[in-house]
Amino acid sequence: WSSDVCSSDLGIMTVVCDLSKAKPDAFPSQTSLLDTTCKPKEVDETRVLYEFALNSCGTRVQVYCIS
């Protein structure tokens, strides 16, 4: 599977996952985020698109320090 994640200055995250080559098989219509009340914006046979605020849908933040 492949995934692209983008965020904007407006604090909106857009995630597109292509599940066409996932093993075992995965079905876009059956995917979910940590918060299962957050539903995909679009779904087709191979891809799923989520769009949500950075402070919603169970989003977690990790901070890495590079020295």
Side-chain angles (χ1 to χ4, degrees), residues 38-65:
C38 294
K39 303 296 181 195
K41 185 172 184 177
E42 294 180 29
V43 177
D44 66 18
E45 296 81 24
T46 60
R47 295 172 298 181
V48 61
L49 168 79
Y50 286 94
E51 190 172 87
F52 52 90
L54 294 176
N55 62 352
S56 67
C57 294
T59 302
R60 296 180 183 167
V61 175
Q62 290 184 332
V63 178
Y64 296 94
C65 296

Side-chain angles (χ1 to χ4, degrees), residues 5-25:
V5 177
C6 300
S7 63
S8 71
D9 293 338
L10 301 174
I12 302 296
M13 182 175 293
T14 304
V15 179
V16 179
C17 292
D18 181 348
L19 302 172
S20 61
K21 297 179 182 176
K23 295 295 177 197
D25 290 342

